[in-house]
Amino acid sequence: MVLSFLNGKWYCLGCFEEERIALLYLKENIPIGILLHSWVDYETKAGCCHWQGVQCSNTTGRVIQLDLYNTRYMVLEDWYFNASLFLPFQELRNLSLGLNHLVGWIENEGFDKLSKLKNLEALDLSGNSFDRNILSSLSQLSSLKHLNLHGIFDFSSRVFETSGHERLSGLKKLQVLGFSFNRGINVSDVLSILELYALNDLVELDLSNEIENFNTSKDIKTMHSLQVLYLDGIIVSNISNMLQSLRAFPYLKNLYLQYNNMKRPIATIYGTISNSLSSIFTLVVLDISNNRLSGKIPPSVGNMTRLYVVAMSNNHLEGPIPVEICKLDSFVRLDLSKNNLSGSVASCFNKLKSSHACLNNNRLEGQLTHAFYNYSSLVTLDLRENQFIGSIPQSIGNLSSLSIILLGVNHFKGTIPDQLCQMKRLSMIDLSYNGLYGHIPYCLSNITLEVREEKSMPDFELGTSSKLNFLSYIDNVKLERASRVSLQEMSSLRSIDFEITAAFTTKRNLYYYKGSILDHMSGIDLSSNKLYGEIPSCLGKLSELHALNLSHNNLIGTIPATFSNLSQLESLDLSYNNLSGKIPTGLVELKSLAVFTVAHNNLTGIIPQKDQFGTFDKDSYEGKPLSLWSSITRRLYCIKTSATTCL
């Protein structure tokens, strides 16, 4: 304890008794708090700071965070809650009450009580059903920096008119505001609610989804502080008006315009954005994916020299990738996937510092000899479903940081270069549907399949002060709950937008991996090529491998017995080869194996029936000749013939 004081920190061994009692009383007042099972009244006070959704300060030991998101069953009736129950937590900074069917507070026990928590900085009310009258009450929470009002209003059935009392002008310190998924409300009305000229510290604003008609008829006061603006999926009748309205936010760094049905030439859209933002050269993120943009990418995109993220995927863009894009030598994510881009990839790409290059699902062609040979910072290279030709260059071994290489569905020929094995950080390899021949490199067993956060999340700063503060709020929130609408989406690195997505075929389906699942995913797909020779037994060393597909090749020999060491394997496809011998009995120890097929080979012997092998259907074994015997078939044969060989 003395050493802790000398180091300037007090490490909490439990929690304060009054706060422990207050937490238990809080639990009693939450009907069927399904996520509060760890809140148990032990005789000792130790462990309170480790209860689910509770976080205490390392310096004072006081409760600083309460995550009560989705603690009630949604089938329950509307909930009116007593905000006074939070008053014992005087150092509370972050409070999440989202998705609890909360419709209001007990009379005289509402926001006026919460306003006494002078340290409260983040409040999540998303996914509830409040009346608009709460807006003026929220203004009492003058300490708030982060406020999430995603999906709490529905004005679609009535006319919404703002009054002088329905505003958030009292939130002078507000930096991040989420106001998306509020149905039937006009953007200009939202701006009236916000009274933006009074929110001088507002850095991030989310007005996405369900909000209607970005109308410029009202004068929008210029906001010099706003850096991050989400306008994804709004219902807008005049795209030009919406884009011209950006002049009210001249110093934007992050601009999101996804799912807005912008059926326009990209040059027009880019030109309007450029004319609306007085400091277009400071733009850090531009995401105009999932629209209907057409035409060629204008060379002037190279003028946006500070861009970290260029996302234009899923549009109708055509023509070559302009060489001017190589001027953006600092960006970490380039996503031009799912367009009609053609031509070759310029050799200047090898000078870029991007971490994630997604050019898949286009009509790009030519060889890769010079395009990526010196791309040492690259983590993801996705060139699937293009028309690239030639061999996979040996210089690919220079991509020392690469974790994901997806080259499937192209016209590559030649052998798989041993230099691929020099990329020790590889975890996902897709070379399927090409014309590759030769042996499977033995050295593939040397890759580490390591778990890396860089696979799913770009490692960069976006220039807003909200990132670190916000991430501290969600430390204890599992990524598996990322589909929720919550404060989690208000970060300047809003994970649902910035997570890299990688497609990989496994379990007979194409899956899209992102977030922590992508970080842990590993797989090798060499299917539908012309590979020959035996399967290297050393591949059994890849104990962390989740998917292996060697189907539709000309492989011979036996299934390596070492495959029984692939303890994490979920999908194994060896079909359509010329394999012989028996299925190794050790494969029954692969408890995670969900899909297994060795159909259309020359295997013999008994099909294992133990554990999950008893669930695989006959399609997993059919082929030429059908020489595999199941244990049941064998037993029936033995009984019928009284064969002595069965003894």
Side-chain angles (χ1 to χ4, degrees):
M1 185 181 299
V2 172
L3 290 175
S4 297
F5 275 116
L6 292 176
N7 288 328
K9 292 186 177 181
W10 166 257
Y11 294 96
C12 180
L13 297 177
C15 63
F16 283 83
E17 178 67 9
E18 63 269 25
E19 292 191 337
R20 184 185 70 87
I21 294 173
L23 287 172
L24 293 172
Y25 189 59
L26 179 63
K27 177 184 178 181
E28 291 179 7
N29 283 270
I30 299 179
I32 313 182
I34 58 177
L35 296 181
L36 305 183
H37 58 274
S38 63
W39 295 25
V40 180
D41 187 12
Y42 293 115
E43 294 182 0
T44 63
K45 63 180 181 180
C48 168
C49 289
H50 300 288
W51 288 354
Q52 184 171 354
V54 180
Q55 181 176 320
C56 298
S57 169
N58 285 334
T59 55
T60 67
R62 295 285 185 179
V63 173
I64 58 174
Q65 173 174 307
L66 287 176
D67 183 1
L68 301 177
Y69 190 93
N70 192 22
T71 59
R72 297 177 69 238
Y73 285 114
M74 291 302 292
V75 296
L76 297 177
E77 60 185 10
D78 293 348
W79 187 31
Y80 291 86
F81 195 44
N82 185 350
S84 295
L85 296 177
F86 297 109
L87 293 183
F89 313 108
Q90 284 299 306
E91 292 190 18
L92 190 64
R93 300 175 194 168
N94 307 318
L95 175 60
S96 175
L97 296 172
L99 205 63
N100 281 304
H101 222 268
L102 185 60
V103 297
W105 306 99
I106 294 176
E107 187 175 359
N108 299 321
E109 300 292 345
F111 290 115
D112 56 327
K113 301 297 184 183
L114 285 182
S115 66
K116 297 180 180 180
L117 299 175
K118 301 303 182 183
N119 294 302
L120 190 63
E121 296 181 350
L123 178 62
D124 179 7
L125 299 175
S126 64
N128 289 299
S129 302
F130 283 98
D131 186 273
R132 70 190 189 202
N133 292 327
I134 74 162
L135 294 171
S136 57
S137 300
L138 280 168
S139 292
Q140 301 177 58
L141 307 180
S142 57
S143 62
L144 281 187
K145 294 181 180 179
H146 305 263
L147 177 60
N148 185 351
L149 301 179
H150 291 307
I152 68 169
F153 300 118
D154 185 352
F155 301 108
S156 58
S157 60
R158 58 186 183 277
V159 176
F160 178 72
E161 296 179 355
T162 61
S163 68
H165 300 293
E166 295 167 343
R167 295 181 177 175
L168 299 174
S169 55
L171 305 181
K172 303 294 185 181
K173 297 181 180 180
L174 200 64
Q175 297 177 8
V176 180
L177 174 63
F179 208 89
S180 68
F181 292 95
N182 288 302
R183 301 180 61 188
I185 188 169
N186 190 285
V187 171
S188 56
D189 290 329
V190 174
L191 297 177
S192 296
I193 293 171
L194 301 180
E195 209 170 62
L196 290 177
Y197 62 85
L199 303 179
N200 295 322
D201 291 332
L202 195 65
V203 174
E204 181 174 328
L205 176 62
D206 187 349
L207 300 178
S208 299
N209 299 92
E210 305 292 352
I211 295 176
E212 300 177 357
N213 297 323
F214 205 113
N215 193 332
T216 59
S217 60
K218 294 187 178 182
D219 183 36
I220 303 175
K221 192 73 174 180
T222 301
M223 279 201 67
H224 294 87
S225 63
L226 198 70
Q227 298 180 27
V228 183
L229 179 62
Y230 293 94
L231 295 176
D232 298 330
I234 65 174
I235 303 171
V236 58
S237 57
N238 192 317
I239 296 293
S240 296
N241 280 352
M242 180 188 73
L243 296 176
Q244 290 171 6
S245 297
L246 298 177
R247 67 180 184 272
F249 318 112
Y251 297 105
L252 283 178
K253 292 186 177 181
N254 308 353
L255 177 59
Y256 303 87
L257 296 170
Q258 294 192 76
Y259 299 103
N260 284 315
N261 197 30
M262 295 191 292
K263 191 177 180 180
R264 300 288 180 84
I266 187 173
T268 301
I269 299 296
Y270 171 77
T272 307
I273 293 174
S274 183
N275 292 332
S276 298
L277 302 181
S278 61
S279 56
I280 187 69
F281 302 111
T282 66
L283 202 63
V284 174
V285 173
L286 177 62
D287 192 343
I288 51 178
S289 302
N290 302 293
N291 283 288
R292 301 174 69 183
L293 301 175
S294 60
K296 298 180 179 180
I297 300 174
S300 53
V301 71
N303 296 332
M304 305 165 74
T305 54
R306 292 192 59 189
L307 274 178
Y308 283 108
V309 172
V310 183
M312 303 179 183
S313 66
N314 201 18
N315 282 290
H316 303 303
L317 305 180
E318 58 187 13
I321 300 174
V323 295
E324 287 80 4
I325 209 166
C326 294
K327 296 179 181 179
L328 311 178
D329 59 357
S330 297
F331 69 75
V332 298
R333 178 186 172 195
L334 175 64
D335 190 352
L336 304 178
S337 62
K338 299 181 180 179
N339 283 289
N340 295 310
L341 299 173
S342 58
S344 59
V345 179
S347 59
C348 63
F349 265 61
N350 72 80
K351 299 179 181 179
L352 298 177
K353 300 177 182 178
S354 175
S355 298
H356 303 273
C358 300
L359 307 178
N360 55 287
N361 295 84
N362 281 288
R363 293 187 291 113
L364 299 172
E365 58 189 13
Q367 300 189 27
L368 300 182
T369 308
H370 301 293
F372 300 100
Y373 76 91
N374 196 31
Y375 222 144
S376 59
S377 62
L378 200 60
V379 176
T380 300
L381 177 60
D382 190 348
L383 303 178
R384 289 175 301 111
E385 297 192 42
N386 279 288
Q387 299 172 17
F388 291 108
I389 62 173
S391 60
I392 299 174
Q394 295 181 359
S395 59
I396 201 165
N398 296 331
L399 308 183
S400 55
S401 296
L402 202 66
S403 284
I404 302 172
I405 181 168
L406 308 175
L407 304 181
V409 197
N410 277 284
H411 304 297
F412 291 111
K413 295 183 178 180
T415 60
I416 300 174
D418 288 341
Q419 286 76 9
L420 195 71
C421 308
Q422 295 177 13
M423 295 182 284
K424 298 296 181 65
R425 311 187 80 172
L426 277 180
S427 59
M428 294 175 67
I429 304 172
D430 180 3
L431 306 181
S432 63
Y433 289 92
N434 282 288
L436 301 172
Y437 55 82
H439 295 270
I440 298 174
Y442 283 73
C443 60
L444 282 179
S445 62
N446 295 330
I447 60 178
T448 61
L449 307 177
E450 66 176 287
V451 176
R452 297 179 63 191
E453 291 184 0
E454 292 89 343
K455 288 166 60 176
S456 65
M457 185 68 70
D459 184 17
F460 65 103
E461 298 286 344
L462 292 183
T464 66
S465 60
S466 61
K467 177 188 176 185
L468 293 178
N469 292 336
F470 183 80
L471 290 182
S472 67
Y473 175 79
I474 62 170
D475 282 343
N476 293 334
V477 180
K478 300 296 183 182
L479 285 176
E480 284 73 12
R481 296 167 64 193
S483 59
R484 72 191 197 187
V485 179
S486 70
L487 249 176
Q488 183 169 330
E489 294 185 344
M490 292 165 52
S491 163
S492 59
L493 276 177
R494 191 168 66 168
S495 61
I496 200 166
D497 284 341
F498 274 90
E499 288 174 344
I500 302 300
T501 299
F504 196 85
T505 299
T506 180
K507 302 178 184 178
R508 301 192 181 102
N509 288 292
L510 181 66
Y511 291 93
Y512 290 87
Y513 296 91
K514 65 180 181 180
S516 62
I517 299 178
L518 176 58
D519 294 338
H520 289 81
M521 178 57 187
S522 59
I524 298 176
D525 188 351
L526 307 180
S527 64
S528 299
N529 281 287
K530 301 176 182 179
L531 302 174
Y532 52 76
E534 297 186 353
I535 300 174
S537 60
C538 56
L539 294 184
K541 294 168 55 179
L542 301 175
S543 58
E544 300 300 317
L545 194 67
H546 287 86
L548 178 61
N549 190 346
L550 305 178
S551 66
H552 293 270
N553 281 289
N554 300 310
L555 301 174
I556 62 173
T558 60
I559 300 173
T562 56
F563 277 13
S564 62
N565 297 322
L566 303 177
S567 57
Q568 301 299 316
L569 202 64
E570 300 173 1
S571 179
L572 177 59
D573 190 347
L574 303 176
S575 62
Y576 292 91
N577 281 289
N578 296 306
L579 300 175
S580 58
K582 300 179 180 180
I583 298 175
T585 57
L587 295 187
V588 299
E589 301 302 324
L590 303 182
K591 305 303 182 184
S592 298
L593 197 62
V595 172
F596 173 75
T597 176
V598 291
H600 299 281
N601 280 286
N602 298 311
L603 299 175
T604 59
I606 298 175
I607 298 174
Q609 292 294 309
K610 183 180 178 181
D611 298 329
Q612 74 278 12
F613 270 81
T615 67
F616 301 142
D617 57 35
K618 65 179 182 179
D619 293 341
S620 298
Y621 308 104
E622 67 180 3
K624 48 167 191 170
L626 187 59
S627 54
L628 291 171
W629 279 18
S630 71
S631 60
I632 297 176
T633 302
R634 179 182 174 88
R635 189 175 299 113
L636 291 174
Y637 171 80
C638 293
I639 294 174
K640 182 177 181 180
T641 63
S642 300
T644 57
T645 56
C646 297
L647 298 178

